[in-house]
Amino acid sequence: MAILFVRLPNHIGDAVMTMPALNLLEAAGFQLYLVGKPFVGQLFEGTNRRFDPIEGNLLDDIKRIRELAATVERPRGLLMPNSLGSALLFKMAGISCTGLATDGRSLLLEHAIPEPPRMHEVERFWYVAYEALKSWGIKPPYSKLTKRINMKLAKRNEAGARNLAEKIHLPSRYAILAPIAKGRHEGKEKYWKHFNELVKPLRDRGIEPVVFPAADEAEVSRLAAPDATIYEPTSLGNFAALCSKAAIVIANDSGVSHIAAAVGAPQVTIVGVTDIDRTSPWNDKNIIVGRKGRWPEVDEVITAIDDCLKANR
């Protein structure tokens, strides 16, 4: 089986959205060696694919990836990110790489794939994989992209989530709230500021609102949803498994919303500044409230929660 190095995107949501494309590559007969940020690797533990982290020091990263590539005859790679740096890493590591002709990197690529028209990011990553196969003279094994990601959870994460739920006495019906979204989009904050107003309505419906914050978001999460039950941070893999068992996941358009989509959780995604045509969670159980340029009112979100719960009884 031929080995293919794949440079993953740096952000959790983007990495999740590559999963259908990676499945296509694997179905085409490749053994995937994934390369990306350390925390991203936790999302792929259930696939048994090799994962090698990059730490951010370019020279050190090149050295380690070059040593790995030297174990493979004529190493070939595929770039999911659009950046010049991702192409430079593989090129300097001795990997012939293919990717989109973006960021002035075409000269570094074995095959430069033309940029596609505007589309959802899942479709864009799928396009990269599909066109790469064709450029290598390989017929893609299938052409239909379904509205499901079907993330494979690692057994140890499923067990970890069960053990954690028992330890903290997690109620059987719980809603995972993700009130924080890091960074800004076009200079604007990416998070809705009324998550705490969802706590009582959820409890009135017999569902306990809980938060499992990232390690660096514990304090801001307590400020954003002080009346919710806030637990200690857990691993990304355990968190994904907890999402898979939740009655509902309510999140901003963020990494959490994409993890929920990947495990097929019922979810409500709240947007106000991002473009849902490109970055909405890839899940047919997802209800989106709000739109770019307008955050939703609280009653709109509560209505969406009720609709989602009813549709997923």
Side-chain angles (χ1 to χ4, degrees):
M1 183 178 288
I3 290 171
L4 178 66
F5 292 87
V6 180
R7 174 65 164 91
L8 296 171
N10 292 339
H11 299 293
I12 290 171
D14 291 339
V16 167
M17 289 190 283
T18 68
M19 289 180 179
L22 298 178
N23 292 340
L24 177 68
L25 294 167
E26 203 164 58
F30 285 104
Q31 180 180 352
L32 304 183
Y33 280 18
L34 306 179
V35 177
K37 295 292 186 179
F39 55 86
V40 169
Q42 297 178 44
L43 298 169
F44 297 91
E45 290 182 352
T47 65
N48 295 317
R49 295 167 183 155
R50 176 166 181 147
F51 179 84
D52 288 274
I54 53 173
E55 304 291 347
N57 183 305
L58 183 59
L59 294 180
D60 288 345
D61 290 335
I62 289 172
K63 181 176 183 293
R64 285 186 292 102
I65 301 304
R66 183 190 293 131
E67 290 173 353
L68 178 60
T71 66
V72 177
E73 185 177 355
R74 293 191 297 276
R76 169 183 282 171
L78 181 63
L79 306 173
M80 291 298 183
N82 300 321
S83 64
L84 177 64
S86 61
L88 184 63
L89 171 64
F90 273 17
K91 184 71 173 180
M92 295 298 290
I95 300 171
S96 297
C97 52
T98 296
L100 289 175
T102 52
D103 204 22
R105 64 186 189 175
S106 293
L107 292 178
L108 298 175
L109 303 177
E110 176 191 20
H111 298 286
I113 300 171
E115 268 206 269
R118 179 183 174 81
M119 59 179 62
H120 194 282
E121 288 297 285
V122 170
E123 296 171 316
R124 184 179 172 93
F125 291 130
W126 171 273
Y127 167 83
V128 171
Y130 196 90
E131 293 300 313
L133 290 172
K134 289 165 57 179
S135 74
W136 300 328
I138 299 171
K139 182 180 178 180
Y142 51 88
S143 59
K144 185 178 180 181
L145 175 59
T146 64
K147 196 63 183 280
R148 290 180 179 85
I149 290 180
N150 295 326
M151 175 180 172
K152 296 178 181 177
L153 292 168
K155 296 297 183 185
R156 76 180 189 90
N157 291 141
E158 292 178 323
R162 286 194 301 270
N163 293 339
L164 178 60
E166 183 178 347
K167 177 182 177 181
I168 63 178
H169 306 292
L170 184 67
S172 58
R173 280 178 60 76
Y174 59 91
I176 289 183
L177 306 184
I180 303 301
K182 292 180 181 178
R184 290 175 174 264
H185 181 75
E186 297 177 353
K188 298 176 181 177
E189 293 177 336
K190 295 167 55 180
Y191 61 92
W192 190 61
K193 298 182 179 180
H194 305 284
F195 271 85
N196 200 54
E197 296 177 58
L198 304 179
V199 172
K200 184 179 184 302
L202 285 165
R203 286 185 176 140
D204 289 344
R205 288 155 176 77
I207 301 172
E208 180 61 23
V210 303
V211 180
F212 290 93
D216 59 348
E217 295 177 358
E219 186 56 36
V220 288
S221 293
R222 289 186 180 93
L223 293 174
D227 296 329
T229 299
I230 301 179
Y231 294 110
E232 293 298 313
T234 187
S235 73
L236 204 56
N238 287 356
F239 179 76
L242 289 165
C243 285
S244 74
K245 302 298 183 184
I248 190 169
V249 177
I250 307 165
N252 300 289
D253 183 7
S254 62
V256 170
S257 66
H258 291 289
I259 290 173
V263 298
Q267 65 184 120
V268 169
T269 301
I270 303 172
V271 300
V273 299
T274 53
D275 188 346
I276 61 172
D277 291 336
R278 291 189 57 248
T279 63
S280 61
W282 197 255
N283 179 1
D284 50 14
K285 295 182 180 180
N286 179 42
I287 295 178
I288 297 172
V289 195
R291 64 176 183 271
K292 188 173 183 178
R294 188 188 77 81
W295 289 104
E297 300 295 331
V298 172
D299 60 347
E300 293 178 78
V301 177
I302 293 172
T303 297
I305 290 170
D306 286 335
D307 290 344
C308 186
L309 292 172
K310 182 179 178 180
N312 292 282
R313 282 178 181 167

